[in-house]
Amino acid sequence: MTRQPRRPRAGMPRLPTRWLMTDERMGKDLWRALLRLPRGGGVVFRHYTLPADERRRLFARIRRITRSRGLMLIRAGTMRMAGEQGVHAQRGGGWVTWPVHSIAEARQARRVGAVAVFVSPVFATRSHPGASTLGARRARLIGAVAGAPPIALGGIDEVHFARLAGFQGYAAIDAWMA
C-alpha cells in the first residue's frame, strides 16, 4: 500500500523552500551560512562523524540560532536531539524528509510518507566531485515519483533555482557560505 506524505502535527511551520545541509567540512562557515539562510528556511543537521557529546553541543547551539531566526531544524543520523523538529532519512517524529537519488529511493520515500524529498545531485557539486548528476529533467521525474514536494539539491543556488521548474525549493551548502 502506498502511503500519502505524512502531515506534520498541528502548530508546525510550513515546509521551507530554502534549506541548508550542514556537514563537518563547513567549519566556521556554518555560522555565516545559518545567518544567510532566509527566515522560514530549514536546516538538515548532519555532522555524522562528531563524537556524541560534541554533536549534541553543536546541535544545541544551532538550535538556539534556528529558533531565534525562525528556521526549521531537522536531524539526520540515529542519535535523537533535544528540540529536533523532524528527522531525515528515517521514520520518526515531526517532519520526515528523505534523500532521493533514484526511482527506487523515490518509491521508498513514498512508502514511508516523507513530507519532502531532497532530490540529488541535480547538477555537479563540490560535495561529490566527479559524481554523475541527474540533470533537471531526470531529477523532476524522480521527484514526481516520490509523491512529496521535491527539493533540488546539488549545485543549486538562487540563480540555478530560478531556471529550474518542478521543485518546491532547493537545498545547498556552498550557496549559503558564499
Side-chain angles (χ1 to χ4, degrees):
M1 177 169 105
T2 301
R3 293 180 57 187
Q4 292 300 314
R6 183 178 172 176
R7 301 292 173 226
R9 61 185 180 266
M12 294 212 47
R14 293 174 48 141
L15 181 68
T17 61
R18 303 297 184 270
W19 291 83
L20 167 65
M21 307 297 276
T22 75
D23 69 18
E24 290 83 352
R25 77 178 174 91
M26 295 180 79
K28 293 181 184 207
D29 288 335
L30 169 63
W31 311 113
R32 180 173 51 222
L34 285 165
L35 296 176
R36 293 195 68 215
L37 191 62
R39 230 177 216 301
V43 176
V44 177
F45 176 79
R46 297 182 307 169
H47 285 80
Y48 300 109
T49 63
L50 291 179
D53 288 344
E54 191 175 339
R55 193 167 199 260
R56 280 190 192 93
R57 280 192 301 275
L58 181 59
F59 187 88
R61 188 172 172 197
I62 291 171
R63 186 183 70 227
R64 285 189 295 275
I65 293 169
T66 59
R67 282 186 177 166
S68 72
R69 300 211 52 251
L71 304 172
M72 180 180 295
L73 182 56
I74 304 291
R75 177 251 316 162
T78 57
M79 186 185 342
R80 291 179 184 241
M81 299 285 178
E84 64 188 38
Q85 294 174 284
V87 295
H88 182 65
Q90 62 191 306
R91 291 180 177 172
W95 292 89
V96 174
T97 63
W98 212 261
V100 173
H101 309 90
S102 66
I103 296 288
E105 289 176 344
R107 288 183 180 130
Q108 182 182 26
R110 183 183 284 270
R111 281 192 302 274
V112 301
V115 297
V117 293
F118 292 91
V119 183
S120 72
V122 178
F123 303 120
T125 174
R126 224 169 43 99
S127 299
H128 300 92
S132 61
T133 62
L134 298 171
R137 184 177 175 175
R138 181 149 175 78
R140 267 193 305 278
L141 170 67
I142 290 170
V145 169
I151 308 297
L153 173 61
I156 309 285
D157 59 18
E158 285 295 329
V159 173
H160 287 112
F161 184 67
R163 298 183 197 145
L164 195 62
F167 290 89
Q168 179 80 21
Y170 77 89
I173 298 172
D174 289 342
W176 304 117
M177 294 190 317

